[in-house]
Amino acid sequence: MKLEVPARQRSQDAEQNDKAVGALGIDLWKNHPTRLPLPLPEAEAGGALVPPLNFAMVDDGIFRSGLPDADNFRFLLSLNLRSIVYLCPEPYPEENARFLWQNGIELHQFGIEGSKSGLTMPETLLLQEPLAYIPEETIREALKVILDVRNQPVLIHCKRGKHRTGCVVGCLRKLQKWCLSSVFDEYLHFAAAKARSTDQRFMELFDASSLMHLTASQ
């Protein structure tokens, strides 16, 4: 024989059950009928790895690119970076700085102006073309950081990964005894239509002799 529970009693029992569940700290889905689980961000959901603009491998443990954004963070993690060499004078973006701090990546900033503001050496006057001022000593200091194995894997970047990054990598290639035509070919590959003959002139005149001992120890 089936016993029928009066509707009033069923209502009272349900109310008591709700109170008991609430006391245990359990949140019932039926109390929030419009709440849906949020989709995981792409990085957490196993989405594609997205490299930064103009990304490439320079050598074992050395990479180059343009300024990464949040879409590239998961890709950067896959590189197991120890440090970043940032070639712009502007403060590092807050979101990027937070990402570095959270993942134990050290930032080395060497501020090179990106605007065309002067000449690096008297010979460039013959070209009659304005040049983004590239302080040679700053390039040397950046190369010392890049070639120090304690800082590798390292990512070198400016904003677009073309001119400042291209000059630093070009000077590195001179240390590696690349022929000048190969240095220029690599520079032009990234700079493309934005290539500057004065950047190439800087790389041609860069004296790498004082840094040769750094590559000899690699």
Side-chain angles (χ1 to χ4, degrees):
M1 180 177 180
K2 184 177 180 181
L3 296 177
E4 291 291 333
V5 180
R8 181 176 179 181
Q9 183 176 342
R10 288 200 301 269
S11 177
Q12 289 175 344
D13 290 343
E15 184 178 350
Q16 289 176 354
N17 287 338
D18 285 351
K19 288 180 180 179
V21 168
L24 293 172
I26 302 172
D27 193 10
L28 295 178
W29 281 103
K30 70 181 183 64
N31 291 335
H32 304 277
T34 60
R35 181 191 296 176
L36 295 174
L38 296 175
L40 289 171
E42 185 179 33
E44 296 179 15
L49 298 176
V50 182
L53 177 70
N54 279 328
F55 175 83
M57 182 177 181
V58 177
D59 205 340
D60 290 341
I62 303 175
F63 307 93
R64 63 176 291 169
S65 75
L67 178 67
D69 60 29
D71 290 337
N72 310 133
F73 289 170
R74 185 167 177 262
F75 177 85
L76 296 185
L77 286 177
S78 74
L79 301 178
N80 296 314
L81 295 175
R82 286 185 181 175
S83 56
I84 280 182
V85 169
Y86 175 52
L87 301 173
C88 301
E90 297 83 10
Y92 208 53
E94 183 178 344
E95 186 176 23
N96 293 50
R98 184 167 56 251
F99 168 78
L100 299 191
W101 179 80
Q102 289 172 342
N103 293 283
I105 301 170
E106 188 172 358
L107 177 66
H108 302 270
Q109 183 169 3
F110 298 92
I112 300 172
E113 292 292 341
S115 60
K116 296 178 179 180
S117 57
L119 300 169
T120 55
M121 46 195 72
E123 291 87 347
T124 56
L125 290 168
L126 298 175
L127 297 172
Q128 296 184 356
E129 180 181 343
L131 174 68
Y133 177 68
I134 305 173
E136 189 166 326
E137 187 56 34
T138 302
I139 298 291
R140 294 181 189 280
E141 293 303 313
L143 287 172
K144 289 177 184 177
V145 170
I146 292 164
L147 291 170
D148 189 337
V149 294
R150 294 171 296 181
N151 298 320
Q152 298 173 7
V154 57
L155 173 68
I156 312 162
H157 78 79
C158 50
K159 285 188 177 178
R160 297 288 180 180
K162 295 181 178 181
H163 302 113
R164 286 167 282 195
T165 299
C167 285
V168 169
V169 172
C171 293
L172 172 59
R173 295 310 190 192
K174 291 192 72 175
L175 281 170
Q176 296 175 323
K177 300 185 183 301
W178 279 32
C179 67
L180 204 53
S181 61
S182 295
V183 172
F184 290 167
D185 284 346
E186 183 178 38
Y187 169 83
L188 292 169
H189 174 76
F190 292 96
K194 298 292 185 179
R196 297 173 182 163
S197 61
T198 45
D199 283 354
Q200 294 170 272
R201 184 67 168 165
F202 174 84
M203 290 182 280
E204 180 181 0
L205 296 174
F206 180 77
D207 181 10
S209 60
S210 65
L211 297 173
M212 287 298 182
H213 65 285
L214 297 177
T215 54
S217 62
Q218 298 300 303

